[in-house]
Amino acid sequence: MPVTNTTWSDTEQKIAQEAFHQAYDREIRDLMEEVKSRSASIQQIDDLWQIHDLLSARRHQIDGKYDARPSALMFVLAQLLKEKLISIDELKGLEPGKLAKIAALSKM
Amino acid sequence: MPVTNTTWSDTEQKIAQEAFHQAYDREIRDLMEEVKSRSASIQQIDDLWQIHDLLSARRHQIDGKYDARPSALMFVLAQLLKEKLISIDELKGLEPGKLAKIAALSKM
């Protein structure tokens, strides 16, 4: 099965969208908790700039990550799985071939 | 008295350095408090990115602000005075002409 040239049914696109939504919420919630926790223990200027660096890096990553184009979808879902932002169970309903491909890509 | 071509005695340079030090400490302390306070009340993603924007802007400003070259000193001290990061009393010991110039520049 080609990865970038895959077609996605309406049902599959909805499953992917819901997975995106869940992953995004979890990622943002984790980042909020991390920033709250690190901010609460700021002692010196370096602690402040480290929070800034963290936010710069994560904002850039997050901005680029959730690419919902059909050609990107399989890679993005694999990445979300790799980062444990979604579980394979949440992709139930996708074609078995797609699921296997996503699971394989997530281990790379 | 020219502003950019002013000479500074050793004593005056020490006074300016101490004023820089005090202003920097106050500025950083205020920024730490602001970040702590805003982080504690993060509710949503926009709150997170607003903290990032704040840190980006303030880091850029702070990096460029504390220019200790003799040619810049009068402008920087005036700016610190304008921002209430130092008081005119903390510059006591500078030549009266310099003090008057700094006070005037701080009102621009």
Side-chain angles (χ1 to χ4, degrees):
Chain A
M1 177 187 289
V3 174
T4 55
N5 206 14
T6 312
T7 56
W8 300 78
S9 70
D10 287 351
T11 305
E12 287 183 315
Q13 285 190 43
K14 274 184 196 149
I15 292 167
Q17 272 168 22
E18 178 57 22
F20 267 40
H21 182 71
Q22 290 292 338
Y24 183 82
D25 276 0
R26 288 168 190 151
E27 180 157 25
I28 295 301
R29 192 196 52 207
D30 289 351
L31 184 56
M32 282 179 186
E33 289 311 312
E34 185 168 1
V35 169
K36 279 186 189 198
S37 158
R38 289 173 71 150
S39 295
S41 58
I42 290 172
Q43 297 280 348
Q44 52 191 0
I45 182 75
D46 277 353
D47 301 331
L48 207 53
W49 298 156
Q50 279 172 20
I51 292 171
H52 179 239
D53 290 340
L54 169 77
L55 282 168
S56 298
R58 298 300 302 278
R59 191 174 191 172
H60 179 74
Q61 288 162 358
I62 291 169
D63 277 352
K65 182 190 274 177
Y66 292 88
D67 184 347
R69 287 172 300 173
S71 60
L73 216 45
M74 211 174 284
F75 294 110
V76 181
L77 291 171
Q79 185 62 29
L80 298 180
L81 192 59
K82 184 176 189 163
E83 295 178 21
K84 300 189 195 311
L85 289 168
I86 54 173
S87 69
I88 196 80
D89 286 349
E90 289 175 297
L91 300 177
K92 211 154 52 181
L94 299 185
E95 261 191 301
K98 285 196 184 77
L99 277 177
K101 199 81 188 170
I102 289 167
L105 284 169
S106 77
K107 292 187 175 70
M108 285 179 188
Chain B
M1 176 188 291
V3 174
T4 55
N5 205 12
T6 312
T7 56
W8 299 77
S9 70
D10 286 352
T11 303
E12 286 183 316
Q13 285 190 43
K14 274 184 196 149
I15 291 166
Q17 272 169 20
E18 178 58 23
F20 267 41
H21 183 71
Q22 289 292 339
Y24 183 82
D25 276 359
R26 286 166 191 154
E27 180 156 26
I28 295 302
R29 191 195 54 207
D30 289 350
L31 184 56
M32 283 179 185
E33 289 311 311
E34 185 168 359
V35 170
K36 280 185 186 197
S37 158
R38 289 173 71 151
S39 295
S41 59
I42 290 172
Q43 298 280 347
Q44 52 190 358
I45 182 76
D46 278 352
D47 301 330
L48 207 52
W49 298 156
Q50 277 172 20
I51 292 170
H52 179 238
D53 290 340
L54 169 76
L55 282 169
S56 298
R58 298 300 300 280
R59 191 175 191 171
H60 179 73
Q61 288 162 359
I62 291 168
D63 276 352
K65 182 191 274 178
Y66 293 87
D67 183 348
R69 286 173 300 171
S71 61
L73 216 45
M74 212 175 280
F75 294 112
V76 181
L77 291 171
Q79 184 62 29
L80 298 179
L81 192 60
K82 184 175 189 165
E83 295 177 22
K84 301 190 196 308
L85 289 167
I86 53 171
S87 70
I88 195 80
D89 286 347
E90 289 175 297
L91 299 178
K92 211 154 52 180
L94 298 184
E95 262 192 299
K98 285 194 183 79
L99 277 176
K101 198 81 187 174
I102 291 167
L105 283 168
S106 77
K107 293 188 175 69
M108 286 181 187

